[in-house]
Amino acid sequence: MLSFVVSGMIMWVIGMLEMISVKSATIEDVEPLYELNRTLIMRYEDIENIDLERVLAWVKGKLVDHINEYNVIYCDEKKVGYYCVTRNEDLWELDDFYVFEEYRGRGIGSYVLSELIKRYPRMFLYVFRGNTRAIGLYERFGFKVSKEVGNTRYIMMRE
């Protein structure tokens, strides 16, 4: 894999034909990110036992307030996902790591995650317990469940 920076944009070449690039998210990305979050919450959260309206309002507020910390993943100039990495005390938090469904299984998430780990080796993340595909990806990269959060999520750590 080849990695380089062009005009402030991180780029990786995977395989022979696909180029991965990362650009900063903009306010136009708030709504798609919100919908991705909402979809996961509706699929994996125990919505009968949470204040769903309050949770979704918090998600929207977080995205609006912190969109400048998010990145957009492109593959061959097509938007294929998002991620956010933030400092949390002495660790980095990987937040809202998404590869759009139609681009999964092509190695994009693996390549982006491997590059992030090079930059941020001590990292943690929250993941829904029912999201076994994501958990499998994180485990392949050395993340381990360190804590259960309620009855629907894990905190996974990589040290």
Side-chain angles (χ1 to χ4, degrees):
M1 175 176 37
L2 178 64
S3 177
F4 52 96
V5 176
V6 176
S7 301
M9 176 175 51
I10 300 169
M11 302 181 87
W12 299 292
V13 178
I14 62 173
M16 295 297 287
L17 302 173
E18 295 183 310
M19 186 175 331
I20 303 296
S21 58
V22 177
K23 299 177 186 175
S24 295
T26 66
I27 196 71
E28 288 80 27
D29 293 299
V30 168
E31 217 36 62
L33 272 162
Y34 173 78
E35 285 305 318
L36 289 164
N37 272 274
R38 185 181 174 288
T39 297
L40 285 180
I41 289 166
M42 297 306 287
R43 182 177 299 156
Y44 297 117
E45 187 58 81
D46 181 6
I47 59 173
E48 299 298 320
N49 291 309
I50 64 168
D51 182 344
L52 182 60
E53 188 174 314
R54 185 179 62 83
V55 168
L56 293 175
W58 178 85
V59 167
K60 178 68 76 96
K62 175 188 82 158
L63 293 169
V64 169
D65 292 346
H66 298 279
I67 195 63
N68 62 320
E69 298 170 11
Y70 281 77
N71 294 286
V72 183
I73 305 165
Y74 290 86
C75 180
D76 292 336
E77 300 183 25
K78 293 179 190 147
K79 190 180 287 190
V80 299
Y82 294 99
Y83 72 88
C84 179
V85 178
T86 56
R87 185 90 172 163
N88 191 323
E89 297 179 18
D90 64 335
L91 294 172
W92 294 94
E93 179 180 358
L94 176 59
D95 192 14
D96 293 339
F97 182 40
Y98 298 107
V99 174
F100 302 157
E101 194 166 339
E102 61 269 27
Y103 293 97
R104 293 179 191 157
R106 294 172 50 178
I108 295 167
S110 293
Y111 281 107
V112 172
L113 188 56
S114 69
E115 290 299 313
L116 291 174
I117 287 169
K118 289 176 188 174
R119 296 177 88 185
Y120 313 105
R122 296 190 68 227
M123 195 182 316
F124 76 97
L125 55 87
Y126 288 82
V127 64
F128 284 106
R129 292 168 66 167
N131 194 346
T132 55
R133 185 172 184 158
I135 291 168
L137 172 68
Y138 300 137
E139 287 176 337
R140 284 192 305 276
F141 283 88
F143 286 86
K144 293 181 174 53
V145 173
S146 65
K147 185 176 181 180
E148 293 185 19
V149 180
N151 62 351
T152 60
R153 289 176 284 147
Y154 293 131
I155 294 176
M156 296 185 78
M157 298 275 293
R158 186 180 191 286
E159 296 193 72

